[in-house]
Amino acid sequence: MGNRYAVVLAAGQGTRMKSSLYKVLHPVCGKPMVQHVIDQLKPLQLNEIITIVGHGAETVQDQIGDDSRFVIQEEQLGTGHAVQQADSILEQQEGITLVVCGDTPLLTKDTLESLITYHEEEGSKATLLTAHAEDPTGYGRIVRTEDGNVARIVEQKDASEEVQKIQEINTGVFCFDNKALFETLKHVSNDNSQGEYYLPDVIEILKSQSEKIAAYQTDRFEETLGVNDRVALSRAEQAMKRRINEYHMRNGVTIIDPSHTYIGLDVQIEQDAVIYPGSVIEGNTTIATGVEVGPHSEIKNCTIGQNTVIKQSVAHESYIGHGVNIGPYAHIRPASELGDDVKVGNFVEIKKASFGKGSKASHLSYIGDAKVGEGVNIGCGTITVNYDGQNKHLTTIEDEAFIGCNSNLVAPVNVGKGAYVAAGSTITKDVPGDALSIARSRQTNKEGYVEKLKNMKKD
């Protein structure tokens, strides 16, 4: 296998997106389009990836990082001009160069590998990735010679009625002999209505030199979708979502309603998990076997253990153990850690807190900046008062403690092992182990007081 290079075209502003966000950074299933492209290129054993950037160059470089070298296209003068910006890196190299656009997030490594392999086997100077389109309107048509090679690419506006009937279209993805590419780019003209240098003109020049031009037709037209506006972005999102969901279902995950379930590309789900409609699962989330998520739950960057149930709840950047029961309407905020068999009930918010095995906060509580031991019961309406206006403080509740309803634990404070806090207490001092702490006003009943109030109102 010879040298392999890739050039990613990511310099266009994308005015049709009508957005302040640089086009190739618009996300598809939670990941920027250009990152999808880079991720599919990385497994291809490439010597180097060069990304051509222009508008928003710094933000694109920040996104891709060390996965690519970058070249800036100061003026956007067409696709041919964009590729030419890489000549200082690639011009003298032997091998092949793959050219892809940064706004084609559905392309897969399998299709790109098949294109490269076909190019190598055919020994052509250039090979086009083509596809069959049921409705080819707007696409350049591929006219083939009798021996199956490419005779020419005919754009829609230049196509005769006969050529317009052709359903094989140019996808804008090319594989070139590297030296032939950069030598031919020197001869591409901008003598056209746009005053730009077009990459497909390289094909015409090579063809005029009697060089062999091949075409590899993929049977996956959907992969070739380029995103130029919000309508196409939505189509790409739907296609990627369908691809991801089908992957998980074929691996043993039950997705009750795939059309209303959103799973990110990097999410890992083990078999026999069940995902209910309306759920959004993103980032580096790992879901173990037997887990039930949803309906209408939002999970991001979480690790979730076996047989846990999360109903109508939100969990971000947290560890959730085995057999945990969360929701409905709970909120697990970042840096939380829930041990096995924990219960977090309805309208409970957990923030930067750890819960030991078997502990419970069943309803209407806020537990933030807290360390909760094993077997702890936290009653309804309990609040860890963690913020003094300037700093956050830790609340510690040791094993087997019982916190009565409507209690305020004013941090920093420690509730000892096996201690009880009476309902309605505001705890400002440490509670020793096995002690009962009562911190509330003594109840006083004033007999007949209501009748006296009524008489006062009459007067």
Side-chain angles (χ1 to χ4, degrees):
M1 183 180 71
N3 294 330
R4 292 180 173 186
Y5 306 93
V7 174
V8 180
L9 305 184
Q13 187 173 7
T15 54
R16 281 182 282 174
M17 297 296 288
K18 292 180 168 51
S19 174
S20 59
L21 181 64
Y22 186 45
K23 182 176 76 166
V24 298
L25 293 178
H26 278 266
V28 172
C29 287
K31 181 180 290 188
M33 290 192 287
V34 70
Q35 190 65 60
H36 281 288
V37 174
I38 295 294
D39 287 349
Q40 295 303 309
L41 289 173
K42 287 193 294 185
L44 300 182
Q45 296 180 293
L46 300 170
N47 295 69
E48 196 150 34
I49 300 172
I50 297 95
T51 302
I52 311 301
V53 292
H55 296 285
E58 290 185 2
T59 53
V60 176
Q61 291 178 47
D62 289 343
Q63 171 61 45
I64 298 174
D66 296 334
D67 289 335
S68 173
R69 288 179 68 176
F70 299 93
V71 177
I72 294 179
Q73 185 186 18
E74 299 289 353
E75 293 183 273
Q76 278 67 62
L77 300 177
T79 52
H81 181 259
V83 174
Q84 200 168 25
Q85 306 311 297
D87 60 1
S88 62
I89 301 173
L90 296 179
E91 186 176 21
Q92 300 302 319
Q93 301 300 325
E94 299 284 350
I96 64 170
T97 292
L98 178 68
V99 180
V100 297
C101 295
D103 61 2
T104 52
L106 299 175
L107 280 173
T108 64
K109 58 180 175 56
D110 293 337
T111 295
L112 296 174
E113 182 65 60
S114 295
L115 171 64
I116 293 171
T117 300
Y118 186 82
H119 174 81
E120 292 173 335
E121 290 174 348
E122 290 294 308
S124 57
K125 288 295 181 181
T127 303
L128 290 67
L129 178 66
T130 70
H132 176 87
E134 290 299 325
D135 179 8
T137 304
Y139 289 96
R141 308 304 204 278
I142 303 299
V143 179
R144 290 187 182 249
T145 61
E146 291 184 0
D147 59 3
N149 291 322
V150 175
R152 64 189 190 276
I153 306 169
V154 183
E155 298 302 325
Q156 172 81 27
K157 59 183 173 54
D158 301 321
S160 65
E161 287 187 17
E162 189 65 26
V163 170
Q164 286 186 27
K165 295 177 182 177
I166 296 173
Q167 291 180 290
E168 185 179 14
I169 57 95
N170 177 30
T171 68
V173 179
F174 302 89
C175 200
F176 293 98
D177 174 271
N178 185 71
K179 283 194 171 182
L181 169 63
F182 285 97
E183 178 59 34
T184 307
L185 280 170
K186 298 174 183 177
H187 305 290
V188 171
S189 168
N190 68 340
D191 185 16
N192 52 62
S193 59
Q194 298 297 318
E196 295 187 349
Y197 301 88
Y198 295 126
L199 186 61
D201 288 353
V202 171
I203 303 298
E204 297 299 321
I205 295 171
L206 290 173
K207 189 67 181 176
S208 70
Q209 297 170 351
S210 301
E211 298 289 2
K212 181 178 179 180
I213 309 298
Y216 172 77
Q217 183 174 339
T218 177
D219 58 1
R220 303 173 182 176
F221 172 75
E222 185 178 76
E223 282 190 22
T224 68
L225 175 68
V227 175
N228 290 310
D229 59 25
R230 305 291 182 128
V231 175
L233 183 67
S234 175
R235 290 173 183 159
E237 179 83 17
Q238 293 300 314
M240 184 68 77
K241 181 183 73 170
R242 183 167 57 250
R243 180 190 297 177
I244 293 169
N245 289 351
E246 288 180 1
Y247 167 81
H248 287 295
M249 288 187 287
R250 295 185 192 283
N251 281 287
V253 177
T254 296
I255 300 178
I256 302 298
D257 186 355
S259 63
H260 292 89
T261 302
Y262 301 84
I263 302 174
L265 198 64
D266 297 324
V267 173
Q268 299 178 49
I269 309 176
E270 294 181 1
Q271 66 182 37
D272 292 325
V274 180
I275 313 298
Y276 288 91
S279 295
V280 179
I281 307 172
E282 300 178 293
N284 294 314
T285 293
T286 301
I287 296 176
T289 186
V291 169
E292 295 182 22
V293 174
H296 305 292
S297 290
E298 178 184 314
I299 313 296
K300 187 173 184 178
N301 295 327
C302 288
T303 298
I304 302 172
Q306 296 178 10
N307 302 315
T308 284
V309 177
I310 302 176
K311 295 181 178 179
Q312 291 105 347
S313 296
V314 174
H316 286 186
E317 298 170 24
S318 294
Y319 171 84
I320 299 168
H322 305 302
V324 176
N325 199 311
I326 296 173
Y329 311 114
H331 189 180
I332 312 301
R333 289 171 56 190
S336 295
E337 184 173 338
L338 307 184
D340 297 346
D341 303 318
V342 162
K343 180 179 180 182
V344 177
N346 52 298
F347 301 104
V348 174
E349 181 176 354
I350 308 293
K351 192 276 291 188
K352 199 177 180 180
S354 64
F355 270 57
K357 182 177 180 180
S359 290
K360 297 183 289 184
S362 296
H363 29 230
L364 298 164
S365 295
Y366 170 72
I367 311 298
D369 296 283
K371 182 178 180 181
V372 179
E374 297 184 0
V376 172
N377 187 90
I378 297 176
C380 175
T382 295
I383 296 172
T384 58
V385 186
N386 58 335
Y387 186 50
D388 64 6
Q390 292 184 325
N391 299 300
K392 300 289 181 69
H393 300 283
L394 180 69
T395 295
T396 301
I397 306 173
E398 297 183 16
D399 296 351
E400 307 298 333
F402 181 95
I403 311 300
C405 294
N406 200 34
S407 294
N408 300 308
L409 307 179
V410 183
V413 71
N414 183 85
V415 178
K417 183 177 180 180
Y420 274 48
V421 172
S425 294
T426 295
I427 302 299
T428 59
K429 298 179 180 179
D430 290 350
V431 179
D434 295 322
L436 169 63
S437 182
I438 305 172
R440 63 192 182 205
S441 299
R442 184 179 297 276
Q443 181 174 331
T444 301
N445 296 329
K446 296 189 176 182
E447 299 287 344
Y449 189 77
V450 174
E451 189 65 30
K452 185 183 294 186
L453 281 176
K454 290 179 180 179
N455 292 333
M456 289 174 64
K457 291 178 180 178
K458 289 178 182 179
D459 295 339

